[in-house]
Amino acid sequence: MPNSENIEIIITKYLSKSSTEKDLDKLLDALKDESNKELFKSYVKANYIVDYCMKDFQTEKEKEKLLQLIKDSDKGLKRKKFVSFLKYAAVFIVFASLGAYYLFNTSTPKNEPIEVVATEHIITPGTEKAILTLEDGTDVVLQKDSIYANGSVSSSKNKLVYTNNNIKPNATIEYNYLTVPRGGQYFVKLSDGTEVWLNSESQLKYPKHFTEGKTRKVELVYGEAYFDVSPSTNHLGSKFKVLSKYQEVEVLGTEFNIKAYTNEDTVYTTLVEGKVALTLNANSDILKPNEQIAFNVDTKSYSKDIVDVYDVTSWKNGVFSFKSKPLEEITRVLSRWYNVDFEFTNENVKNAKFMGVISKDSPLEDILLSIKNSGFITSYKINNTSVILN
């Protein structure tokens, strides 16, 4: 396993875009150790920002400077237990700075003076919260670390769990709703063992118990959800379907993400593992891993592309990942998580494209400062739950 110094070198090589697959394997192997995970996290939160002019890392001097920053950032830091997901693409999070993210634009920023930032309200990140609507219409407020138990359903440790207890074919099906507001997220394990992560401003309708031997159906009423479906082999061959306003997804046992917000004109379905069949109006198509279908709700047309599933699904693991995304799209994501509304005083700024990774634990002001430092906005102002970008 690489020692601490070697890990620092590997991270630097990765940031400088000169790492090999072997380097990445070494880093990931080292990160299996809890102490190394904390070391990795300390790099992210060490309050170093790579200067914009260094983004191409064209010289060895620049690489050495970055390495020194990383070494200095680790001095005096206490080691605490750190639990996180770490997959191959997750190392992109080293672009982050002080709980926010390393953000750079894909084109040259304007050389304009930066105005003083005006703020009137501190915006905090979202947290685990949702409203559970029971079959009799009763609403139960679920919050971080809240405890709830009622027959076959219980909530604890930020998740809602139903017992595995299917009903007989002739029994009445009772539906529950799980609604996640802006500034929230939540996890639910359905009675068949299927796991669902709900993003901010989302609602899922599902049976309290599934009917034995029949197709298992749930409905994503709106919003975004990640599904890890319990295989049909565990349920007498019964299929699993996810219904939404514009499409139907049929699976046998797989992982996929659906993004279907009511204020966006495109529904995205992305396959991580397995195989799914989509029905969109009168059309049908098959998705393979790493493929995404984008369905335009206005034109009723769709396209299929290969995508980086990490960028699509990273939200459920505590980060938002953007690759050449316009600022307008980024602010839509931020508005849901931080429960704020964005206003642009310059329409042209909406199309400025950025890339980077945002920790969902980041204070909003850290993110706004990074955007401001790009040079495409001169200032920002927070007024209660409104953010004005100038």
Side-chain angles (χ1 to χ4, degrees):
M1 181 174 291
N3 59 35
S4 176
E5 182 177 358
N6 288 338
I7 294 173
E8 293 167 350
I9 294 173
I10 293 172
I11 291 176
T12 304
K13 291 177 68 177
Y14 183 84
L15 288 174
S16 66
K17 301 179 182 179
S18 61
S19 60
T20 64
E21 185 175 347
K22 186 176 181 180
D23 292 328
L24 189 54
D25 286 337
K26 288 181 179 179
L27 178 59
L28 292 171
D29 182 58
L31 292 173
K32 294 176 182 178
D33 183 89
E34 289 296 329
S35 62
N36 286 330
K37 287 183 182 179
E38 178 59 28
L39 179 64
F40 185 82
K41 185 182 180 183
S42 72
Y43 295 161
V44 177
K45 292 193 173 183
N47 195 23
Y48 65 84
I49 300 177
V50 181
D51 189 81
Y52 181 85
C53 66
M54 289 176 55
K55 73 175 185 179
D56 291 328
F57 299 97
Q58 295 176 344
T59 67
E60 289 300 321
K61 184 178 180 180
E62 290 169 348
K63 296 177 185 178
E64 289 299 322
K65 182 178 179 181
L66 176 59
L67 178 57
Q68 189 60 49
L69 284 170
I70 292 176
K71 288 181 177 179
D72 292 343
S73 73
D74 193 43
K75 292 179 180 178
L77 291 174
K78 295 180 179 180
R79 298 186 180 276
K80 298 179 181 179
K81 186 177 181 181
F82 174 58
V83 180
S84 174
F85 78 103
L86 284 165
K87 293 185 179 180
Y88 273 83
V91 294
F92 274 103
I93 201 167
V94 296
F95 283 117
S97 66
L98 190 57
Y101 65 125
Y102 170 61
L103 180 71
F104 58 85
N105 197 273
T106 55
S107 58
T108 306
K110 301 175 183 177
N111 294 319
E112 297 179 357
I114 303 298
E115 297 178 6
V116 176
V117 176
T119 62
E120 298 180 5
H121 186 69
I122 297 176
I123 305 296
T124 57
T127 187
E128 285 80 4
K129 59 183 176 182
I131 297 174
L132 169 64
T133 303
L134 301 175
E135 59 274 12
D136 62 359
T138 302
D139 286 336
V140 180
V141 177
L142 304 176
Q143 296 179 329
K144 187 175 182 179
D145 296 325
S146 64
I147 298 176
Y148 169 78
N150 182 10
S152 60
V153 58
S154 62
S155 173
S156 65
K157 297 182 179 179
N158 308 324
K159 62 182 180 181
L160 187 66
V161 177
Y162 288 79
T163 58
N164 187 3
N165 183 20
N166 289 345
I167 61 177
K168 300 301 180 181
N170 296 326
T172 301
I173 299 177
E174 297 177 328
Y175 289 94
N176 286 181
Y177 289 81
L178 190 62
T179 305
V180 180
R182 294 216 308 180
Q185 63 183 14
Y186 219 79
F187 168 87
V188 57
K189 185 174 183 179
L190 304 181
S191 64
D192 69 333
T194 292
E195 298 179 334
V196 186
W197 289 258
L198 280 177
N199 206 346
S200 302
E201 203 171 11
S202 303
Q203 185 180 79
L204 182 71
K205 176 184 177 182
Y206 52 92
K208 185 177 178 181
H209 299 292
F210 292 98
T211 303
E212 188 175 289
K214 291 189 177 182
T215 299
R216 297 163 287 160
K217 293 182 181 181
V218 302
E219 179 182 356
L220 180 60
V221 182
Y222 57 81
E224 184 171 18
Y226 183 97
F227 294 85
D228 186 351
V229 178
S230 179
S232 60
T233 52
N234 295 344
H235 306 283
L236 303 178
S238 63
K239 298 178 180 179
F240 190 98
K241 290 186 178 182
V242 180
L243 310 178
S244 62
K245 185 175 180 179
Y246 298 102
Q247 67 179 26
E248 176 182 292
V249 179
E250 180 180 313
V251 303
L252 296 177
T254 190
E255 296 184 35
F256 59 98
N257 192 89
I258 300 177
K259 184 179 180 182
Y261 283 104
T262 55
N263 63 344
E264 296 185 7
D265 59 10
T266 305
V267 175
Y268 298 95
T269 304
T270 310
L271 183 63
V272 179
E273 294 180 7
K275 185 177 181 181
V276 299
L278 267 73
T279 301
L280 311 100
N281 292 333
N283 301 310
S284 62
D285 209 324
I286 300 294
L287 271 182
K288 298 177 181 179
N290 302 313
E291 289 186 338
Q292 179 186 80
I293 283 184
F295 177 73
N296 188 291
V297 300
D298 295 325
T299 64
K300 310 302 180 186
S301 60
Y302 73 91
S303 60
K304 183 162 65 175
D305 297 291
I306 300 293
V307 297
D308 186 339
V309 295
Y310 172 77
D311 291 328
V312 177
T313 65
S314 61
W315 62 267
K316 78 180 184 69
N317 293 307
V319 295
F320 293 120
S321 179
F322 302 108
K323 279 188 179 179
S324 298
K325 296 295 184 182
L327 186 56
E328 183 178 24
E329 182 176 336
I330 293 174
T331 55
R332 280 202 299 266
V333 174
L334 298 179
S335 68
R336 296 185 186 112
W337 182 236
Y338 291 92
N339 193 19
V340 296
D341 295 308
F342 282 85
E343 178 183 338
F344 291 86
T345 59
N346 181 353
E347 291 293 314
N348 294 329
V349 174
K350 292 181 177 181
N351 297 320
K353 292 185 177 180
F354 294 83
M355 65 181 295
V357 171
I358 305 171
S359 167
K360 292 177 71 174
D361 291 331
S362 307
L364 181 59
E365 278 207 69
D366 286 356
I367 300 171
L368 294 175
L369 279 171
S370 294
I371 295 175
K372 182 175 70 69
N373 289 338
S374 71
F376 278 85
I377 64 171
T378 56
S379 67
Y380 64 83
K381 181 177 182 180
I382 300 175
N383 185 8
N384 293 322
T385 59
S386 296
V387 180
I388 301 172
L389 302 181
N390 300 309

